[in-house]
Amino acid sequence: MRIMVDTNIFISAALFPKGRTAEALYKALVTPYQPVVCDYVLEELHRKFREKFPERTVELEAFLYTALPAFDIVPTSEEAVEAESKIRDPKDRPILRAALNAGADLFLTGDKDFLESSVEDPRIISVQTFLEM
């Protein structure tokens, strides 16, 4: 089962490695899941860390060094898809596009724009829901 991981999951897991979000990320790294991340999320992750947590970028790099080898890193297509219109924030739409193009079954996020959307494929799930699965 392919699971796309959103930027906010990486941020929370890197900053709070013993928290519930980190627990969900670690669960996504093992069978039966096949973790996926898109290049857009990785770029956004680095940008947000530089903006909000510049003193912790070394921690981010160490975290990614250990976690990323388990991920299938996929490109983000420039071509829009119909389902994108269900996402309020236009900056989030490329992430949904990448999840669809990567054949993700699940999309793990804490972003309300995704969680409150009517997108059904991939199934958008919160940390709590994923941990209860």
Side-chain angles (χ1 to χ4, degrees):
M1 181 174 296
R2 291 175 66 81
I3 181 167
M4 175 75 84
V5 178
D6 198 7
T7 310
N8 56 66
I9 300 299
F10 281 105
I11 290 172
S12 292
L15 294 175
F16 307 103
K18 295 183 190 231
R20 300 222 1 109
T21 303
E23 182 182 345
L25 180 63
Y26 301 143
K27 178 179 177 178
L29 296 177
V30 297
T31 305
Y33 303 105
Q34 298 170 322
V36 180
V37 67
C38 65
D39 53 0
Y40 185 93
V41 163
L42 294 175
E43 290 168 13
E44 183 178 54
L45 176 62
H46 283 96
R47 181 177 46 78
K48 288 194 180 250
F49 253 79
R50 283 191 305 273
E51 291 172 3
K52 297 181 178 188
F53 314 105
E55 72 287 351
R56 299 192 67 185
T57 55
V58 171
E59 289 171 71
L60 172 65
E61 293 307 323
F63 175 78
L64 291 176
Y65 180 79
T66 59
L68 277 185
F71 280 82
D72 181 9
I73 301 173
V74 298
T76 305
S77 172
E78 296 291 324
E79 190 173 325
V81 295
E82 186 178 327
E84 289 180 43
S85 63
K86 297 177 180 180
I87 303 297
R88 286 185 297 238
D89 186 349
K91 289 186 251 172
D92 287 336
R93 292 176 181 172
I95 300 169
L96 176 62
R97 188 180 322 140
L100 289 166
N101 288 334
D105 301 293
L106 300 173
F107 180 69
L108 181 61
T109 186
D111 186 328
K112 287 187 180 195
D113 285 330
F114 281 112
L115 293 168
E116 294 174 355
S117 75
S118 59
V119 172
E120 294 179 13
D121 182 33
R123 180 178 169 204
I124 298 173
I125 57 172
S126 67
V127 166
Q128 182 67 32
T129 301
F130 184 58
L131 289 174
E132 291 171 355
M133 290 175 65

